[in-house]
Every structure is written in structure tokens, then in C-alpha cells.
Amino acid sequence: YGLGQFREAALRLERLAQENADQDLRVSLFGQAGNAWLMGEELDRAHAALPAGLELAPLNFDLLVDRSLVYAAARIYWDTVGDLNRALDIDPDNAEALVFRASAYRYLDSLELAEDDVYRALALRSDHLAAYLERGNIRRLNGDKDQSRKDWLEVIRLAPNSQAAEAARRIDGDLEQRGV
């Protein structure tokens, strides 16, 4: 996995999961295999590995979030929201899951629900970079250019050398270049 050989890593992790008797370890291995398949952009394989783990541990927060990311990568946003709803039933104060669900809602054009989730995430973690990025996107779609730009600049202020700051610069620059 560390070498970027995601397919090989996923195959080995799945084999270990099938050969191991310890249920907790199997759940973890299926989760890691699912993530390796996702990183290797093999969504069907990722979608097969994660439910195998969820069969063993149906209320595993991490597996639900991971599977939601596979659904999102496949652009199946209602299923993304479904898994994130279940995950947030387990841990309602998880800012990451709230931001992920806000993003899914945005793709579903449910901007009010997206906005609610992003505000909840920021109330939990006022320095959450992805929440500021997402809120900026939502505000832009709501026609509030000035406030969206403030959110993206806040990301840059909080973590100027981060990937999130780079994304904020790119979004802001693209919109400015197009005169939006």
C-alpha cells in the first residue's frame, strides 16, 4: 500500500481477512482492503470488500464511512447519505462524517441540508478545513460570492501549506478567472 501498489495490497489484505479467525482483525482487514481498492480506483472491488466487513460488524462506524466514500466515488449519493446517516447515528458528533454528508447533499442539490451539516461540523471543530471548503462551495451555489471567498481564504489562513489551501486557491482562482 505504501508503495502505491493498491491492487496487490488489497488482494493480500483480503486473503489475510479470509484466513484469519479473529473477527475484529477480519473487520479491520476488510476495511483496509476496501480502502486499497478505492485508492486503486477499483470501486466494484472496494464495494465487495467493505460489505464483507459490515457483515461481521454492521455498526462499525469506520466501515460505514469508508463505504460511503466508495458510493460517493461512484456518484451514488443517496447511498452515500444512507451510510453516513447510519454512521452519524453511531457517532452524531463526528465532524468528518458531517462534512462528507454535507458534500453528498450538495451533489444532490439539497443545499439546506448540506448547510446544516457543515454548520454542525464547524460548531464541533472551528478549525475544520474541509468544512470551510464545503461551506464555501455551498455559499457559492447559493449565490453568495463574498462569503464563499471568505471561507476559502479562511482555509488558506488556517493551513497555508495544506492540500485544502491549495484546493481553496484553485477554486477561488478558477472562479475569479471566469469572472464569477
Side-chain angles (χ1 to χ4, degrees), residues 30 99 118 140:
F30 278 124
V99 173
V118 83
R140 178 182 51 84

mmCIF file of all heavy atoms in Angstrom, residues 30 99 118 140:
data_model
loop_
_atom_site.group_PDB
_atom_site.id
_atom_site.type_symbol
_atom_site.label_atom_id
_atom_site.label_comp_id
_atom_site.label_asym_id
_atom_site.label_seq_id
_atom_site.Cartn_x
_atom_site.Cartn_y
_atom_site.Cartn_z
ATOM 1 N N PHE A 30 -10.719 -6.224 6.164
ATOM 2 C CA PHE A 30 -11.663 -5.931 5.080
ATOM 3 C C PHE A 30 -11.756 -4.418 4.847
ATOM 4 O O PHE A 30 -11.840 -3.959 3.705
ATOM 5 C CB PHE A 30 -13.049 -6.511 5.359
ATOM 6 C CG PHE A 30 -13.179 -7.967 5.023
ATOM 7 C CD1 PHE A 30 -13.597 -8.879 5.981
ATOM 8 C CD2 PHE A 30 -12.892 -8.444 3.754
ATOM 9 C CE1 PHE A 30 -13.729 -10.234 5.684
ATOM 10 C CE2 PHE A 30 -13.017 -9.798 3.436
ATOM 11 C CZ PHE A 30 -13.440 -10.693 4.408
ATOM 12 N N VAL A 99 -19.199 16.568 7.391
ATOM 13 C CA VAL A 99 -18.712 17.252 6.189
ATOM 14 C C VAL A 99 -18.906 16.365 4.962
ATOM 15 O O VAL A 99 -19.318 16.844 3.899
ATOM 16 C CB VAL A 99 -17.245 17.692 6.348
ATOM 17 C CG1 VAL A 99 -16.694 18.249 5.039
ATOM 18 C CG2 VAL A 99 -17.118 18.730 7.455
ATOM 19 N N VAL A 118 -22.713 21.289 7.562
ATOM 20 C CA VAL A 118 -21.431 21.981 7.599
ATOM 21 C C VAL A 118 -21.370 22.927 8.804
ATOM 22 O O VAL A 118 -20.326 23.052 9.453
ATOM 23 C CB VAL A 118 -21.123 22.668 6.258
ATOM 24 C CG1 VAL A 118 -21.771 24.005 6.109
ATOM 25 C CG2 VAL A 118 -19.642 22.767 6.032
ATOM 26 N N ARG A 140 -21.273 29.544 -2.537
ATOM 27 C CA ARG A 140 -21.146 29.912 -3.951
ATOM 28 C C ARG A 140 -22.395 29.489 -4.717
ATOM 29 O O ARG A 140 -22.946 30.255 -5.505
ATOM 30 C CB ARG A 140 -19.907 29.270 -4.568
ATOM 31 C CG ARG A 140 -19.753 29.578 -6.057
ATOM 32 C CD ARG A 140 -18.546 28.903 -6.667
ATOM 33 N NE ARG A 140 -18.450 27.490 -6.419
ATOM 34 C CZ ARG A 140 -19.075 26.539 -7.133
ATOM 35 N NH1 ARG A 140 -19.847 26.863 -8.135
ATOM 36 N NH2 ARG A 140 -18.919 25.273 -6.834
#
